[in-house]
Amino acid sequence: MKSILETPKLLLLLLVAVSLITINPRINGWNEASRMALTQSLVEQHSFIIDESVFVNSGDKVFINGHFYSDKPALPSLLAAVIYAPLHALGLNLNYGWNLSYYFIILFTIKVFWIASVLAFRRALAFTPVRRDRIPLLIFIFAFGSLIFSWTTSFNNHSLAASSLMIAFMFYLQAKNSLKSAPLFWAGLCFGVATAADIPTGVFLVGFAVLIYLDLKSPLGNALFWVAAFIPIGCHLAINYTISGSLLPVQIFPEYFNYAGSPWIEKSLLSGIGANSPLFTIKYALSCLLGVRGFLWYNPLLFVLTGLLYQNVRGKREFQHESLVIIIATLVLMSYYFIFSSNFGGDSYSIRWFVPCLPLIFFYSYDIEKIMRSRQSEMAIYGLVFLSTFIAHIGAINPWSNHLVHSIPLIANLKQLTGFLF
């Protein structure tokens, strides 16, 4: 395994092989159905209206001017439509249940981005002082040791944003170390894709834009960064305007969810609409991080890696400014959900909203040597890696864990697995 992870071509083959067998090709809930409704409508009806889609019964939709639309950012569905168009022409149609078209959509969107992010992580390590013999372990941790992996088994915007952020960060490091402007175009494009796919991740775009302006001092690079970022973001804004006449996301307008049979009549059920009280925000934040779905419990390596990230802010470290941006952006993103949501992301394996924050934090595994000073500490780290990998693979069974099976997502997934096997 070590030699495979050290060789780029063999690593690529391994990631492709893993991707082929770790896809859940069926619609598991409203979120996926809503995205596939838009994908199907774009290809079959050439419209953003989802009235004719077999997935129109999804609860994740809005009603505007007499028609239903998906309430999700459109960019992921646009990417899916590129894959679905030739499949539909061949007679492979999207539908509920086990579906070959859905399999290929996940494979050529979510999985391709994930593979690219792992390769980008490997390349980013070249800009760190990491020991060469540690690189296989770090690649394994990044690829398989967190919820990043869990969320690659279904079609969702969180995985797409997470992968895009890692790729963007790699191009940023290329620009910083080569003093060339061209990589900043690709960095901006990938930060833009992440933002258009998962809007709150735009805080990383803004943070690194400020860093590029202040640290790299390249007018051309700064211009390229913003031009590229605006390509996917401009597409997102144009679609919003086409659907609702506003550049703002449709999901922030509660009146669009007011239709016959709507499950969202109570505004409190909608995330991003109203702010929580300070006391509720504190309790909810603790539950999100340390409750039965606690993001820290489901990514136990974070107990180590967040410390390494923080250490990079203190003193004159090689990624001091980058670390500060990542910490601030992560806190802003999480705080947004702490303040403006209350439902833990619905049916979800841990807190799905925070998954995009993981890749940039896991980059700091390059510094893990600092806490592997003894045999005992080394064994403790390997124990955490094993535990994190186990949790991530249980999540891969179904990242949209059904709370009706069990309130604890890990147990719900284990029950689903045993039910499938026996």
Side-chain angles (χ1 to χ4, degrees):
M1 179 65 73
K2 182 177 179 179
S3 60
I4 292 176
L5 295 178
E6 285 179 326
T7 308
K9 290 183 180 179
L10 293 178
L11 173 60
L12 176 59
L13 289 175
L14 172 65
L15 295 175
V16 170
V18 169
S19 296
L20 291 171
I21 61 174
T22 55
I23 292 176
N24 189 339
R26 56 183 176 177
I27 306 300
N28 285 287
W30 287 351
N31 194 296
E32 292 171 286
S34 180
R35 297 182 191 281
M36 288 302 101
L38 177 53
T39 298
Q40 187 175 51
S41 297
L42 286 169
V43 173
E44 297 181 17
Q45 279 80 45
H46 311 293
S47 172
F48 296 114
I49 298 170
I50 64 171
D51 294 353
E52 303 300 319
S53 171
V54 297
F55 306 111
V56 71
N57 60 339
S58 166
D60 286 356
K61 61 189 177 186
V62 292
F63 191 68
I64 304 173
N65 297 326
H67 295 287
F68 286 112
Y69 298 85
S70 170
D71 68 342
K72 308 302 179 189
L75 182 66
S77 293
L78 290 178
L79 296 176
V82 173
I83 307 302
Y84 180 53
L87 296 172
H88 174 66
L90 294 172
L92 299 176
N93 297 322
L94 279 167
N95 211 326
Y96 283 104
W98 296 88
N99 187 269
L100 193 57
S101 283
Y102 191 51
Y103 174 90
F104 284 120
I105 286 172
I106 296 172
L107 178 64
F108 288 109
T109 55
I110 302 301
K111 288 294 188 181
V112 165
F113 270 81
W114 172 68
I115 291 171
S117 74
V118 176
L119 297 178
F121 171 78
R122 182 185 182 278
R123 196 164 183 178
L125 292 176
F127 304 109
T128 72
V130 67
R131 276 173 38 186
R132 181 175 177 83
D133 62 325
R134 289 294 188 198
I135 291 178
L137 172 63
L138 304 187
I139 294 174
F140 181 86
I141 288 173
F142 181 85
F144 306 113
S146 78
L147 295 189
I148 297 172
F149 177 71
S150 306
W151 284 90
T152 64
T153 63
S154 76
F155 190 82
N156 63 92
N157 62 329
H158 311 299
S159 176
L160 186 64
S163 298
S164 298
L165 288 177
M166 185 65 245
I167 300 167
F169 185 64
M170 183 272 293
F171 280 119
Y172 162 81
L173 292 179
Q174 275 192 351
K176 176 183 176 181
N177 287 272
S178 68
L179 300 180
K180 294 181 180 179
S181 299
L184 289 177
F185 176 88
W186 301 109
L189 183 66
C190 292
F191 275 121
V193 168
T195 302
D198 198 351
I199 297 168
T201 63
V203 295
F204 291 97
L205 166 67
V206 174
F208 277 92
V210 172
L211 201 58
I212 290 167
Y213 177 78
L214 295 178
D215 283 5
L216 301 192
K217 301 185 188 308
S218 169
L220 175 60
N222 195 53
L224 288 173
F225 180 87
W226 278 112
V227 167
F230 188 74
I231 294 173
I233 294 174
C235 180
H236 169 76
L237 295 175
I239 293 172
N240 286 348
Y241 189 80
T242 300
I243 292 174
S244 67
S246 170
L247 297 177
L248 299 176
V250 295
Q251 55 264 51
I252 70 170
F253 295 94
E255 61 269 25
Y256 294 159
F257 293 89
N258 188 13
Y259 53 86
S262 172
W264 310 110
I265 296 300
E266 294 184 44
K267 293 181 182 179
S268 61
L269 298 175
L270 291 168
S271 297
I273 300 298
N276 300 320
S277 68
L279 181 59
F280 180 88
T281 297
I282 294 172
K283 291 181 178 179
Y284 180 58
L286 291 174
S287 295
C288 285
L289 296 176
L290 297 168
V292 294
R293 297 192 188 192
F295 196 67
L296 292 175
W297 302 129
Y298 281 77
N299 298 279
L301 278 167
L302 285 178
F303 287 103
V304 172
L305 297 180
T306 51
L308 296 177
L309 169 59
Y310 175 69
Q311 287 178 15
N312 265 266
V313 178
R314 302 173 60 190
K316 297 287 185 178
R317 299 298 300 276
E318 55 267 20
F319 299 109
Q320 184 183 33
H321 293 169
E322 291 81 1
S323 303
L324 186 60
V325 166
I326 292 169
I327 288 174
I328 293 174
T330 299
L331 290 175
V332 170
L333 185 146
M334 289 187 170
S335 296
Y336 166 77
Y337 287 108
F338 294 154
I339 296 170
F340 293 103
S341 74
S342 60
N343 64 0
F344 301 97
D347 282 345
S348 171
Y349 192 74
S350 189
I351 312 299
R352 58 188 174 89
W353 299 317
F354 302 159
V355 171
C357 302
L358 290 173
L360 299 186
I361 297 175
F362 270 63
F363 169 74
Y364 289 85
S365 62
Y366 83 86
D367 223 6
I368 207 168
E369 191 66 30
K370 288 183 171 57
I371 54 175
M372 298 177 74
R373 301 291 191 183
S374 64
R375 180 66 176 170
Q376 290 79 6
S377 61
E378 188 170 358
M379 292 304 296
I381 293 298
Y382 278 112
L384 275 179
V385 171
F386 174 81
L387 180 60
S388 295
T389 304
F390 173 77
I391 293 172
H393 282 67
I394 297 302
I397 297 168
N398 180 17
W400 307 98
S401 297
N402 190 341
H403 73 279
L404 297 177
V405 176
H406 200 281
S407 60
I408 300 176
L410 189 144
I411 296 177
N413 277 24
L414 286 173
K415 282 190 170 184
Q416 184 177 347
L417 176 62
T418 55
F420 175 76
L421 293 176
F422 303 108

